[in-house]
Amino acid sequence: AQSVAQPEDQVNVAEGNPLTVKCTYSVSGNPYLFWYVQYPNRGLQFLLKYITGDNLVKGSYGFEAEFNKSQTSFHLKKPSALVSDSALYFCAVRDSGAGTALIFGKGTTLSVSS
Amino acid sequence: DAGVIQSPRHEVTEMGQEVTLRCKPISGHDYLFWYRQTMMRGLELLIYFNNNVPIDDSGMPEDRFSAKMPNASFSTLKIQPSEPRDSAVYFCASTLGLGDTGELFFGEGSRLTVL
């Protein structure tokens, strides 16, 4: 069975500082990994994905994520946080060989202070 | 395209009443998903369809929940009878193929409050 863990319920950073939101996963086969963002009272929006290839994936709004197979991690990063980045972030995984739906982590609230 | 459209956006009902949530996926998408979001459990997959056929309903909490997709442009999630613990935000999402992308497009959600 596939699963996703986001070990931090909340991450607090100051504007201009780098940010990291952590994600680890478990799948039987090769993983397809995703990050989504949710603003208050809105649906989830796609940020970026890792399917294959370069372990460093770049996405929307200056976010990037690094796939680490040995650590089964896919941490979300941004070099310089903005107050407007404050939102709820979800990591999601799908087993490439299973043809199943995306399974989401519980989410991490990112709070960027000015 | 208008995106995934869900209705109602907000529903307040009393315990025991029937609740019907509606979803219109993006035109041409062949997969449709229903998720439930709560503070305690996060985002849970309830059921998903491929070409209007239910593929996996193992996430449906109990027999009070049912979902249908009578055609490619419409799906419903029904709760009968509703209970206070069903209070949550219900999201519908759609995508074109699960292939190597799997990027889901989400609706704005239906916030259900059962009193």
Side-chain angles (χ1 to χ4, degrees), chain B residues 16 18 24 33 41 45 51 55 64 69 72 80 100 102 108-110:
Chain B
E18 178 179 293
K24 180 182 183 339
F33 305 80
R41 301 172 70 91
L45 174 67
N51 292 322
I55 303 300
R64 297 184 297 106
M69 192 165 185
Q80 167 63 18
D100 65 348
E108 298 285 274
S110 293

Side-chain angles (χ1 to χ4, degrees), chain A residues 43-82:
Chain A
L44 279 69
Q45 299 175 32
F46 170 77
L47 269 183
L48 52 78
K49 66 185 176 186
Y50 170 83
I51 302 299
T52 187
D54 194 347
N55 289 343
L56 185 63
V57 178
K58 294 187 183 296
S60 306
Y61 312 120
F63 283 94
E64 58 189 28
E66 186 166 13
F67 171 62
N68 187 315
K69 187 173 184 178
S70 63
Q71 296 185 7
T72 61
S73 67
F74 189 58
H75 301 331
L76 181 69
K77 301 181 180 183
K78 187 173 182 181
S80 178
L82 300 173

Side-chain angles (χ1 to χ4, degrees), chain B residues 69-106:
Chain B
M69 192 165 185
N71 57 62
S73 59
F74 184 66
S75 176
T76 59
L77 178 67
K78 187 173 292 187
I79 308 172
Q80 167 63 18
S82 58
E83 297 183 2
R85 60 192 167 122
D86 302 331
S87 298
V89 181
Y90 292 81
F91 286 102
C92 177
S94 69
T95 192
L96 178 60
L98 283 182
D100 65 348
T101 60
E103 176 186 343
L104 300 185
F105 295 83
F106 282 80

Side-chain angles (χ1 to χ4, degrees), chain A residues 13-19 78-85 110 112-113:
Chain A
V13 298
E15 188 173 34
N17 284 359
L19 69 88
K78 187 173 182 181
S80 178
L82 300 173
V83 172
S84 57
D85 293 330
L110 173 66
V112 182
S113 56

